[in-house]
Amino acid sequence: MEKTIEKPLSIGQYIFSQPREIQPLLQKMREIIKNVAPEAVEVISYSMPAFKFHGKILCYFAAHKNHIGFYATPSANIFFAEELKDYKTSKGTIQFPYEKPLPYNLIEKIVLYKANELLISAPKKKK
């Protein structure tokens, strides 16, 4: 899979730089994350689309040759291990193959889990 932009400056630019048939899947990932965590800020980190939530990375996603990589850190993968058994995973990675439909509900649950985890660990502001 060839990328036309080496270092994208925005998630929109990243998505547009990917093959046309992959773009709707990436856009759907973006929409799911924004819907679950509307306060999250879109960023590019490590040349991948990412969302920051209360100053910390909520998740990343990226197009690869045969799958979309979704990176929500190891705690989410451990918590959802049973639901992820049909996908290739590693420490902090989930691979959603292009030939299968994106598991929208599972992605929503993972993003919500991670957002709650970050809220719990966020330093409390002094009054």
Side-chain angles (χ1 to χ4, degrees):
M1 176 179 301
E2 287 198 31
K3 306 210 190 255
T4 57
I5 298 172
E6 276 189 38
K7 292 192 178 194
L9 301 176
S10 69
I11 292 180
Q13 191 178 51
Y14 177 91
I15 291 171
F16 185 73
S17 74
Q18 300 304 314
R20 192 169 272 141
E21 66 275 8
I22 304 305
Q23 291 177 17
L25 298 173
L26 297 170
Q27 186 59 37
K28 188 63 181 177
M29 290 289 293
R30 181 188 198 183
E31 289 171 17
I32 291 169
I33 297 163
K34 285 173 74 168
N35 286 339
V36 173
E39 295 174 29
V41 177
E42 292 187 355
V43 297
I44 295 293
S45 182
Y46 300 106
S47 295
M48 293 186 294
F51 284 82
K52 277 191 169 183
F53 188 71
H54 293 274
K56 295 190 177 186
I57 294 292
L58 175 65
C59 60
Y60 302 85
F61 64 94
H64 296 282
K65 184 177 181 182
N66 298 309
H67 68 276
I68 291 177
F70 183 55
Y71 313 91
T73 71
S75 62
N77 286 21
I78 292 165
F79 190 83
F80 291 98
E82 183 62 27
E83 292 178 75
L84 291 169
K85 69 180 185 232
D86 294 333
Y87 300 95
K88 187 173 181 182
T89 61
S90 63
K91 187 176 178 182
T93 304
I94 305 164
Q95 294 182 8
F96 297 125
Y98 294 133
E99 70 269 2
K100 287 176 132 178
L102 282 175
Y104 302 135
N105 291 337
L106 179 55
I107 296 166
E108 288 174 354
K109 289 194 294 188
I110 291 169
V111 172
L112 183 60
Y113 172 87
K114 189 63 187 168
N116 285 326
E117 183 180 70
L118 291 175
L119 281 175
I120 290 167
S121 69
K124 306 293 183 235
K125 292 183 180 178
K126 294 181 181 179
K127 291 185 178 185

